[in-house]
Amino acid sequence: MLPLPQVTFDRLAQLIYGLCGLVLTNDKAYLIHHRLEPIVTQSGLRDYDELCDRLRSPTLSPLHEQVIEAITTHETSFFRDGQSFEALRQVLLPELVEAAGQRKRALGVRPHGRIWCAGASTGEEAYSVAILLDELVQGRPRRDLGLGDFAFLATDISPGVLDVARAGVYSDRNVARVRSPYLRRYFKQQLNDWQVVEPLRRFIDFRRANLLDGTPSAGLFDLVLCRNVLIYFDEETRRRICRRFHAVVRPGGALVLGAAENLYGVSEGFTSEQHGSAFFYRKGVSD
């Protein structure tokens, strides 16, 4: 194990904070050894100090991306936190679809509804939302909407996980939470793996983005999901990110966080609403 003096840990923690906003306290030294030491040795660097020297470069390099990939958490799954998905299925997505139908009849300019999944990781959450959206669209009596009437952006800081998301290939274990009707309709079996069907993969725009750098400049979103991401940031970073969310959520639109997250003390721009045991956050219609 490479030596990691306190001064070097502090320096490395500050560089990582600047790269991706992740806060590393002293009790996280094991993460440095476990996740970054292989990068140090495989890159032919002498020690963590040389890694710090390389990371000081303002230009994003493959080494920067390796560190971001290694140090960030990519845990996700299909239909994770079932109560949140019930709120999406019963409240938020029906609202979005109804509003999209009204905009289509009034304006005729696509997209009529917009979703952003921030911190999308390997794509399971984004595909889960897209499945529910397609089910609602296909179930409309009017048949006046299709997925082409919506725009779905999914972002993550890690290029590696986005490659997995774009491919949309998952193991039997990954799809264990997917209900059988969804599995038959939205996945193709490939030996021991399952691939999301091509129309759904094409529908979602998986794009690299760092939440610290701002928000997408593609207009307003009806629905923003940023689940189980803010817990890894300090309070000031959470405030900054939530201000940006507020700026891009359409009046009357909603922000969905993880089950263990809330906006208490972080943002006053949203009003909490509850559906079952799940909470989400609504932007005022006059904001």
Side-chain angles (χ1 to χ4, degrees):
M1 184 178 293
L2 293 174
L4 183 60
Q6 184 65 49
V7 64
T8 305
F9 175 87
D10 293 342
R11 185 183 175 203
L12 191 52
Q14 189 61 39
L15 287 164
I16 289 170
Y17 179 79
L19 277 176
C20 58
L22 186 67
V23 177
L24 293 178
T25 52
N26 287 334
D27 61 333
K28 296 296 191 296
Y30 72 93
L31 279 178
I32 301 294
H33 289 298
H34 178 65
R35 300 186 182 183
L36 298 190
E37 189 162 320
I39 294 175
V40 174
T41 56
Q42 292 165 16
S43 301
L45 305 177
R46 294 187 309 272
D47 50 28
Y48 290 115
D49 284 304
E50 188 172 1
L51 176 64
C52 290
D53 292 339
R54 297 284 188 91
L55 293 179
R56 287 183 61 193
S57 169
T59 303
L60 192 66
S61 69
L63 182 62
H64 288 85
E65 293 185 350
Q66 288 180 56
V67 169
I68 291 171
E69 177 92 18
I71 208 67
T72 50
T73 300
H74 306 304
E75 181 182 352
T76 185
S77 63
F78 286 100
F79 299 98
R80 183 182 183 187
D81 300 330
Q83 289 297 321
S84 293
F85 275 93
E86 281 303 295
L88 285 164
R89 186 178 67 84
Q90 296 184 27
V91 180
L92 296 175
L93 290 177
E95 288 179 354
L96 189 156
V97 170
E98 183 59 33
Q102 293 174 7
R103 291 178 196 135
K104 185 173 185 177
R105 292 190 294 273
L107 303 174
V109 179
R110 290 179 174 178
H112 306 297
R114 304 184 73 250
I115 300 172
W116 176 24
C117 180
S121 188
T122 45
E124 289 95 322
E125 178 176 275
Y127 286 126
S128 299
V129 176
I131 287 170
L132 295 184
L133 177 64
D134 187 63
E135 289 283 299
L136 286 168
V137 168
Q138 296 300 325
R140 280 173 70 82
R142 297 190 189 93
R143 293 281 181 167
D144 56 344
L145 293 172
L147 285 184
D149 291 302
F150 299 85
F152 197 136
L153 175 66
T155 63
D156 200 275
I157 194 173
S158 166
V161 299
L162 290 172
D163 288 341
V164 175
R166 292 187 189 101
V169 178
Y170 303 98
S171 68
D172 281 326
R173 180 178 179 182
N174 289 137
V175 301
R177 294 187 183 182
V178 179
R179 293 168 51 192
S180 295
Y182 294 161
L183 199 60
R184 290 193 299 268
R185 181 171 181 178
Y186 295 105
F187 293 81
K188 297 184 301 181
Q189 190 165 14
Q190 299 180 337
L191 298 177
N192 294 324
D193 293 327
W194 298 81
Q195 184 173 36
V196 177
V197 295
E198 194 270 342
L200 215 60
R201 286 185 281 121
R202 187 176 66 244
F203 170 55
I204 301 176
D205 178 13
F206 288 104
R207 193 186 308 173
R208 187 182 187 279
N210 187 340
L211 287 174
L212 301 186
D213 295 337
T215 48
S217 56
L220 297 177
F221 293 89
D222 299 272
L223 176 63
V224 173
L225 300 100
C226 185
R227 303 201 313 143
N228 307 300
V229 175
L230 296 181
I231 53 175
Y232 297 105
F233 299 134
D234 62 11
E235 188 168 309
E236 178 52 39
T237 303
R238 290 197 295 270
R239 285 200 190 99
R240 184 163 26 122
I241 292 171
C242 287
R243 284 196 296 268
R244 291 168 175 166
F245 285 152
H246 188 268
V248 299
V249 171
R250 191 189 304 272
L255 169 66
V256 180
L257 303 180
E261 299 171 312
N262 61 66
L263 295 182
Y264 179 75
V266 175
S267 174
E268 298 178 354
F270 295 92
T271 301
S272 66
E273 295 185 18
Q274 185 174 3
H275 178 80
S277 62
F279 288 86
F280 54 88
Y281 300 88
R282 181 87 64 181
K283 180 174 176 177
V285 294
S286 60
D287 288 4

